[in-house]
Amino acid sequence: MLTNKPKTKLLVDGGDPEETLRIKGLIGFVDGQTTSPSLIAKNPDIQRRVASGPQLSEQEEKDAYKKIVQSISPLVGAAGVSIEVFADLSSRAEEMLAQGQEMFTWIPNAYVKYPCTHEGLRAAEMSVQQGIRVNMTLCFSQDQAAAVYAATRGSKEPVYVSPFVGRLDDQGEDGMDLVRNIKKMYEGSDGHVHVLAASIRSISHLLCSFFLDAELATVPSKVLQEWAAAGFPLPDRNFTYKAVDARGNPLKPIPYRKVDLNVPWDTFDPAQELTSKGIQKFVADYQSTLRRSA
Ligand code: E4P
């Protein structure tokens, strides 16, 4: 069991309460959990229902999602459970907000996940005004993180922004640089946005997230198990991160840009191809569980 707790809060990136319970037993605690339509589609009960007989209706899928997060909710600590709205590329902020309002009532420690798009940011702005905690997902640029900061200014609760490290690595860019750059950009800010390192694929990503003082990291159980098996290593002051892909090829650095956070959020450009692809992947995974209408 872990005795030397990192400052970074640890979240399980998954959609299965049994898995969260196993990880809690292994580490001794779990600070929070992130879920998504893709992770919910992989939940063992949903997989069983989809494999045997008719697939789910939209209502059944929503009910199943609610049941899953209600089982996870009491297992985790103060970092809460992130629940993602079902959005496609044409979803309007008002539709996302309506879902967010409902999902926020499912559990007492909910964070509503919206994508870092113009409409997602608009939904976040309205949400924080209503006291709804938010996690802004699919973040691939400093501009998106700046827009999150500006759109949610004044939030009484911490707002999460989730830079997706592994997916930047997948296209040859150093995803850890995005975490580093966002942390630097927020230095001297009012601190209401917390950086949640996401799309963590290795112990090396995890240690670098600790080293960069990310407030939170969401980690698949496989990586947490590897970390436990390695004896829960933590980075020391001389930690160096090897920015290489799975084959050992160097990743391209992402340069830091100086950004003024004190401007209206819609002056930032949130358009990112990886965000659009991420939304499309969530839609495809969500639809894979749904009954086809005749
Ligand atoms: C976070 O909220 C996401 O579920 C997750 O970290 C995405 O990871 P992936 O890029 O490995 O799918």
Side-chain angles (χ1 to χ4, degrees), residues 13 32 47 52 60 67 80 103 111 163 182 202 225 232 263 285:
D13 199 18
Q47 290 269 306
S52 62
E60 284 166 340
K67 201 171 143 215
M103 287 167 160
Y111 275 76
I182 297 172
S202 62
Q225 278 159 15
F232 302 112
V263 293
D285 289 340

Side-chain angles (χ1 to χ4, degrees), residues 10 21 34 58 114 195 211 214 235 238 240 244 249 252 260 272 278 281:
L10 284 175
L21 200 56
T34 53
E58 284 189 20
Y114 297 117
V195 177
F211 184 71
N238 303 317
T240 49
V244 290
N249 300 318
K252 201 171 146 232
D260 180 5
Q272 281 294 322
K281 168 96 174 63

Side-chain angles (χ1 to χ4, degrees), residues 13 34-36 39 113 137 162 164 167 198-201 218:
D13 199 18
T34 53
T35 66
S36 72
L39 295 167
K113 257 170 121 180
T137 191
S162 296
F164 272 38
R167 293 196 195 179
S199 187
I200 296 290
R201 308 269 177 78
T218 187

Side-chain angles (χ1 to χ4, degrees), residues 138-171:
L138 292 166
C139 173
F140 295 100
S141 76
Q142 236 188 283
D143 255 36
Q144 288 176 317
V148 167
Y149 180 90
T152 59
R153 203 190 317 268
S155 173
K156 290 190 185 62
E157 300 274 1
V159 165
Y160 299 162
V161 65
S162 296
F164 272 38
V165 175
R167 293 196 195 179
L168 282 164
D169 285 12
D170 289 345
Q171 60 169 31

